[in-house]
């Protein structure tokens, strides 16, 4: 017992060492993904989303558990929590911290550190149980827990919360040989908590258990058992997926959660390289030694762990990998996507690399135990190897402040006191994931909403509901009176928070006089809170129905009753000042004045895509082929004949070269206006895409 206690203390110290200096700033800073990864901007907003999720879970469980999935972001979309991971399995740690402190940053940091520590401790317990060798178990715990794949996941708790995988293996193995009620109950509880840690993690756990099933069955037979008790306990724990899966099924039926049947994977060589980087090749070699030479460990256990590694690696290769190399037989990932509900919605097959990571780390512990053979003089070798593993990636973790106290959040404290739970919109808003500053601002809005919990029109999740682009397009036009009227009709908007420092100069100038129907309620530095002094939300019930009911297609009208059927008259006029040169590889917006010169109204005020009239930009190369197409730009209005609207359309810029930039009107499901008989509504320009290095030469 003393050895286990010392091991737990040493692992706790290693967790603190690997996260340093985070432990001394738990309430005020987070690990900064922007400095950890080239794609850190999206990592940072993902981290803000995770902060919000843990805080929302705690708040909802304490105040309105029946409305748990009705998060306060992306109002008025239902089941906002089901647009991402729910992380409910982490609530036993996160909820007490948040309810005691009200601090989302402290809650996340404590949760992630405890999760990492639990991973280390239960991995140690698993390997010690199977080998009886404490130092070897310590090495296995270090190899799995402090792998770069996990440690670099300080800001990716939704992907790295696999802390109970080793415990599920340990309890299932014990129960196979001796199915005592206490062991079975603990197994069911561990499975339930691990499944509740995330939907994606649940699929990884399913693959782990399925791969270990033959070894568990053989272990049960060795002890004259059937193994049914273990299967029943595993199934009982997995039943928690039924109630939490219902909101995800609703989101899928509404078209919010797509399927990724052709999701990209990294290929055989890159996946092998990722595994080597995640575990280090010496540990992989030690794992192979454990698989072949750890004679004191039952052969079927080692075979089961090897099968886990093979299955996990095969799944990590994604849907394109065949079952048998050189054939067209669908691989494990493709088969699972066909038969396992929701599996096709996974976007990153590489997540399954955690299975060979765990199995090879455990086998490495067995290999270390086989080498030392219990000899006292050799017991320090695994500990030295563990120290090297822990230290291999040691460096000060970059931190970023998240201020939830003082003048920085005065506006949100005011909303908490005076907001009356009124729906709130913050400006500026993001409309494209490439809007870096606005996207980061949205993350700050979500975290700050944990101070007041007003319904928030802003938000960022893995899958944006279709109402958000419509509302965000109107929000970007504020304080335009027509946009405010449309926005007010769509949602019961009560408060508007304008962050003037985040606006462009022209936008700030537009806000200097406020806006009709807006009353300045409070000012905190450059942040102004406006109250909406009119009745809002007349069309909100209809918008909510669009978000949950099946789309009738062309037979369906917009929110103001304009038909979305194919137009008979495709005449429109566009006016825009297009550039003659852009920087390659960036995202940009083009302002366009759109006029309906036809004889019928255009459908635009709807969250449903089919039949809606939108703008789009596309780039044609010298051969006339479309090299790149931008995202649709919403009109966000039903445009009657003779009416005009100022709209924007966004696009990435193509590779360096000369292109014809086309911006045109199109009706979703029908095609571009200019390609229809008698159709108009196209503006073009010859644009040179210049290399980044040419525009911004490196400093010497």
């Amino acid at each position: 017992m003393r050895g286990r206690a010392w091991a737990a203390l040493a692992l706790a110290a290693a967790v603190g060492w690997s996260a340093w200096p985070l432990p001394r700033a738990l309430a005020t800073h987070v690990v900064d993904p922007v400095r950890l990864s080239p794609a850190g901007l999206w990592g940072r907003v993902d981290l803000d989303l995770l902060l919000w999720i843990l805080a929302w879970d705690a708040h909802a469980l304490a105040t309105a558990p029946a409305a748990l999935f009705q998060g306060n972001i992306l109002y008025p979309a239902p089941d906002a929590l089901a647009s991402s991971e729910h992380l409910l399995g982490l609530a036993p740690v996160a909820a007490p911290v948040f309810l005691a402190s009200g601090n989302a940053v402290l809650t996340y940091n404590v949760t992630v550190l405890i999760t990492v520590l639990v991973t280390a401790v239960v991995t140690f317990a698993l390997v010690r149980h199977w080998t009886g060798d404490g130092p070897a178990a310590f090495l296995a715990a270090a190899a799995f827990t402090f792998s770069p794949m996990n440690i670099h996941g300080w800001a990716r708790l939704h992907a790295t919360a696999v802390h109970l995988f080793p415990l599920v293996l340990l309890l299932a193995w014990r129960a196979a040989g001796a199915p005592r009620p206490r062991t079975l109950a603990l197994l069911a509880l561990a499975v339930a908590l691990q499944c509740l840690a995330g939907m994606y993690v649940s699929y990884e756990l399913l693959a782990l258990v399925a791969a270990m099933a033959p070894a568990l069955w053989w272990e049960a037979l060795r002890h004259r058992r059937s193994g049914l008790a273990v299967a029943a306990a595993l199934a009982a724990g997995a039943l928690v997926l039924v109630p939490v899966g219902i909101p995800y099924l609703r989101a899928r039926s509404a078209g919010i959660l797509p399927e990724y049947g052709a999701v990209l994977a990294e290929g055989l060589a890159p996946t092998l390289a990722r595994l080597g980087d995640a575990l280090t090749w010496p540990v992989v070699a030690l794992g192979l030694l454990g698989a072949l030479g750890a004679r004191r460990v039952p052969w079927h256990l080692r075979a089961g762990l090897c099968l886990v590694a093979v299955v996990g690696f095969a799944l990590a290769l994604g849907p394109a990998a065949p079952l048998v190399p050189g054939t067209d037989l669908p691989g494990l990932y493709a088969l699972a996507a066909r038969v396992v509900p929701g599996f096709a919605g996974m976007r990153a097959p590489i997540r399954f690399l955690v299975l060979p990571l765990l199995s090879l780390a455990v086998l490495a512990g067995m290999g270390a135990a086989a080498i030392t053979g219990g000899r006292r003089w050799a017991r320090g070798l695994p500990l030295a190897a563990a120290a090297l593993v822990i230290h291999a990636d040691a460096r000060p973790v970059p931190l970023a402040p998240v201020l939830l106290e003082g003048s920085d959040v005065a506006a949100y404290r005011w909303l908490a006191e005076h907001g009356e739970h009124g729906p709130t919109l913050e400006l500026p808003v993001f409309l494209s994931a490439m809007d870096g500053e606005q996207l980061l601002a949205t993350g700050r809005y979500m975290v700050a909403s944990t101070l007041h919990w007003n319904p928030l029109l802003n938000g960022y999740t893995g899958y944006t509901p279709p109402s958000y682009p419509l509302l965000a397009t109107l929000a970007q036009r504020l304080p335009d009176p027509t946009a405010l009227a449309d926005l007010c009709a769509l949602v019961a908007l009560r408060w508007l928070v304008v962050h003037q420092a985040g606006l462009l100069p022209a936008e700030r100038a537009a806000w200097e006089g406020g806006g009709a129907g807006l009353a300045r309620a409070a000012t905190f530095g450059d942040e102004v809170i406006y109250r909406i002094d009119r009745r809002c939300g007349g069309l909100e019930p209809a918008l909510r129905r669009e978000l949950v009911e099946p789309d009738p297609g062309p037979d369906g009208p917009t929110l103001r009753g304009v038909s979305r059927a194919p137009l008979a008259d495709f005449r429109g006029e566009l006016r825009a000042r297009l550039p003659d040169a852009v920087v390659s590889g960036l995202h940009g917006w083009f302002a366009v004045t759109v006029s309906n010169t036809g004889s019928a109204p255009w459908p635009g005020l709807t969250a449903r895509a089919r039949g809606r009239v939108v703008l789009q930009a596309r780039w044609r190369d010298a051969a006339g082929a479309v090299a790149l197409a931008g995202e649709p730009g919403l009109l966000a209005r039903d445009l009657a004949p003779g009416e005009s609207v100022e709209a924007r359309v966004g696009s990435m810029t193509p590779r360096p070269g000369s292109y014809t930039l086309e911006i045109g009107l199109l009706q979703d499901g029908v095609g571009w206006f200019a390609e229809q008989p008698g159709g108009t509504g196209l503006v073009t320009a010859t644009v040179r895409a210049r290399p980044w290095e040419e525009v911004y030469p490196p400093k010497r």
Side-chain angles (χ1 to χ4, degrees), residues 68-69 86 88 195-196 199 240-249:
L68 173 67
F69 278 87
H86 52 73
L88 286 171
C195 286
L196 288 175
M199 298 302 291
V240 297
L241 292 174
V242 175
V244 300
I246 292 174
Y248 290 94
L249 293 176

Side-chain angles (χ1 to χ4, degrees), residues 602-621:
W602 296 346
L605 193 69
T606 175
R608 288 170 169 161
R610 191 171 179 186
R612 184 171 57 187
V613 174
V614 298
L615 286 168
Q616 191 171 25
R618 61 186 180 186
W619 305 78
R620 291 189 181 274
D621 60 22

Side-chain angles (χ1 to χ4, degrees), residues 318-335 338:
L323 186 64
V324 179
T327 71
D328 294 329
L329 294 174
L332 290 182
Y333 194 100
L335 291 171
R338 295 180 186 178

Side-chain angles (χ1 to χ4, degrees), residues 377-427:
W377 64 268
R379 293 174 66 85
L381 295 177
L383 296 177
L388 289 174
V389 168
I390 294 169
H391 183 71
D393 199 50
R395 66 187 188 283
V397 175
L399 301 183
V402 181
L403 301 177
L404 294 176
E405 296 290 342
S407 60
D408 295 280
V409 293
Y412 302 109
R413 296 294 184 188
W414 188 93
L415 285 172
E417 185 176 351
H418 305 284
E420 300 174 339
H421 206 62
T424 303
L425 170 66
E426 300 199 45
L427 297 178

Side-chain angles (χ1 to χ4, degrees), residues 16-80:
W17 164 261
S18 63
W20 195 260
L22 183 63
R24 70 181 185 188
L26 293 178
T28 58
H29 288 70
V30 294
V31 173
D32 187 2
V34 176
R35 288 190 282 166
L36 276 180
S37 165
L41 184 148
W42 294 279
R44 177 55 197 269
V45 74
D46 279 345
L47 175 57
D48 288 334
L49 172 61
L50 295 172
L51 267 68
W52 173 82
I53 291 173
L54 291 180
W56 170 258
D57 286 350
H59 170 76
L61 289 171
T63 58
L68 173 67
F69 278 87
Q70 310 309 316
N72 74 310
I73 62 172
L74 297 167
Y75 181 87
D79 296 321

Side-chain angles (χ1 to χ4, degrees), residues 102-393:
N103 188 315
V105 176
L106 177 66
T107 300
Y108 181 87
N109 286 332
V110 170
T111 302
V112 74
L113 289 174
I114 289 181
T115 299
V116 173
L117 177 59
V118 170
T119 304
V121 170
V122 296
T123 305
F124 173 86
L126 173 69
V127 179
R128 192 178 189 282
H129 175 75
W130 278 340
T131 65
D133 191 314
F138 195 90
L139 171 60
F144 180 55
T145 306
F146 301 103
S147 158
M149 188 172 177
N150 286 330
I151 293 301
H152 289 171
W154 290 120
R156 293 181 53 79
L157 185 57
H158 59 301
T160 57
V162 293
H163 50 300
L164 298 182
F165 279 23
L167 183 60
V168 169
L169 286 181
L170 174 59
L171 293 171
W173 193 260
R174 284 182 172 178
R180 298 185 179 91
R182 181 173 177 271
T183 305
L184 294 171
L186 288 174
L187 175 59
L189 178 61
V191 170
L193 288 175
Q194 185 62 81
C195 286
L196 288 175
M199 298 302 291
Y200 286 169
V201 169
S202 298
Y203 292 122
E204 296 165 16
L205 181 64
L206 172 64
L208 171 67
V209 171
M212 278 297 293
L216 291 170
W217 175 72
W218 191 263
E219 178 68 6
L221 288 183
R222 288 182 62 219
H223 292 83
R224 301 174 184 260
R225 307 284 185 178
S226 66
L228 291 178
V230 178
L234 292 168
L239 284 177
V240 297
L241 292 174
V242 175
V244 300
I246 292 174
Y248 290 94
L249 293 176
R250 287 198 297 257
R252 184 172 298 282
S253 66
I256 295 174
L257 299 182
E259 293 190 352
Y260 295 90
V263 62
L264 294 177
E266 298 189 10
L268 179 60
T271 304
L272 272 173
R274 285 283 293 268
L275 179 60
D277 292 340
L279 205 55
T280 74
W281 290 113
V283 175
V284 173
L286 196 57
L288 295 177
L289 175 63
L292 299 174
R295 304 291 185 182
R296 296 184 180 182
V297 179
W299 69 268
H300 58 288
L301 171 54
R302 290 179 281 131
L305 292 171
C306 290
L307 185 58
V308 168
V310 170
V311 167
F313 191 85
L315 290 170
L317 293 175
L323 186 64
V324 179
T327 71
D328 294 329
L329 294 174
L332 290 182
Y333 194 100
L335 291 171
R338 295 180 186 178
V339 301
V340 179
F343 190 93
M346 293 191 69
R347 286 190 288 189
I350 198 66
R351 292 172 185 250
F352 284 99
L353 207 60
V354 70
L355 299 186
L357 181 63
L358 172 59
S359 59
L360 286 171
V362 172
L363 287 167
M366 295 177 179
I371 290 175
T372 60
R375 293 181 287 271
R376 186 176 297 274
W377 64 268
R379 293 174 66 85
L381 295 177
L383 296 177
L388 289 174
V389 168
I390 294 169
H391 183 71
D393 199 50

